[in-house]
Amino acid sequence: MKQITIASLLIFFLVLNSMAQDYKTAIGVRGGLPYGLTVKHFIKEGTALEGIVASRWKGFNFTGLYEINSNIFAPGLNLYCGLGGHIGAYDGDNGRYSDDDSHAILGIDGIVGLEYNLTEIPLNIGVDWKPAIDLIGATKLWGDELAISIRYIF
């Protein structure tokens, strides 16, 4: 059922993509789970790449995402979804693993979010849900990755 929902959302965005883009590149902080830095860059109208460097469980994680963006309801308000992957490493005894060993992880990510570009100042504020599945390492679904991002628009 989850796969049908995700596939339906992706088709919805592809069909209704109104070529949302109010900026080319934005960089900022991501607060929540996990917390870190985020960079979003549009490669063409309505399509962006996002990179996230994050920290959680006494470790780090690099995530790369391909995102489809659609303008909804008002100028500067965008809905987006995407897919990508992550790689990282975590120390043991951190709440994620039951042993004291260090672990490397590799997996896939999805993202669904809503962002708003302020018109008075060059800021972008977004909220998203980014579920991830570790294929190597903890080999489980992490569905608790909710975050708010604040980015400076270039």
Side-chain angles (χ1 to χ4, degrees), residues 32-82:
L33 295 176
Y35 61 90
L37 301 174
T38 173
V39 175
K40 188 170 182 176
H41 177 75
F42 281 86
I43 55 175
K44 64 181 182 177
E45 195 171 341
T47 306
L49 298 176
E50 183 173 0
I52 300 169
V53 178
S55 181
R56 188 175 181 189
W57 295 297
K58 299 180 185 176
F60 66 92
N61 195 353
F62 298 103
T63 303
L65 298 160
Y66 177 85
E67 300 172 353
I68 304 295
N69 294 254
S70 292
N71 182 263
I72 59 169
F73 305 121
L77 183 61
N78 300 318
L79 188 61
Y80 60 93
C81 71

Side-chain angles (χ1 to χ4, degrees), residues 6-125:
I6 291 170
S8 297
L9 281 172
L10 286 173
I11 291 169
F12 173 78
F13 284 116
L14 289 172
V15 170
L16 296 179
N17 185 0
S18 62
M19 303 305 171
Q21 181 175 341
D22 295 313
Y23 62 94
K24 185 75 171 169
T25 303
I27 185 169
V29 295
R30 178 179 171 85
L33 295 176
Y35 61 90
L37 301 174
T38 173
V39 175
K40 188 170 182 176
H41 177 75
F42 281 86
I43 55 175
K44 64 181 182 177
E45 195 171 341
T47 306
L49 298 176
E50 183 173 0
I52 300 169
V53 178
S55 181
R56 188 175 181 189
W57 295 297
K58 299 180 185 176
F60 66 92
N61 195 353
F62 298 103
T63 303
L65 298 160
Y66 177 85
E67 300 172 353
I68 304 295
N69 294 254
S70 292
N71 182 263
I72 59 169
F73 305 121
L77 183 61
N78 300 318
L79 188 61
Y80 60 93
C81 71
L83 295 172
H86 66 269
I87 187 168
Y90 295 95
D91 290 334
D93 189 28
N94 59 22
R96 182 175 174 138
Y97 300 99
S98 59
D99 57 26
D100 290 336
D101 297 334
S102 294
H103 294 270
I105 60 163
L106 178 70
I108 57 175
D109 297 72
I111 192 165
V112 175
L114 186 66
E115 68 179 13
Y116 182 70
N117 302 321
L118 300 172
T119 56
E120 301 80 24
I121 54 177
L123 281 182
N124 167 280
I125 300 172

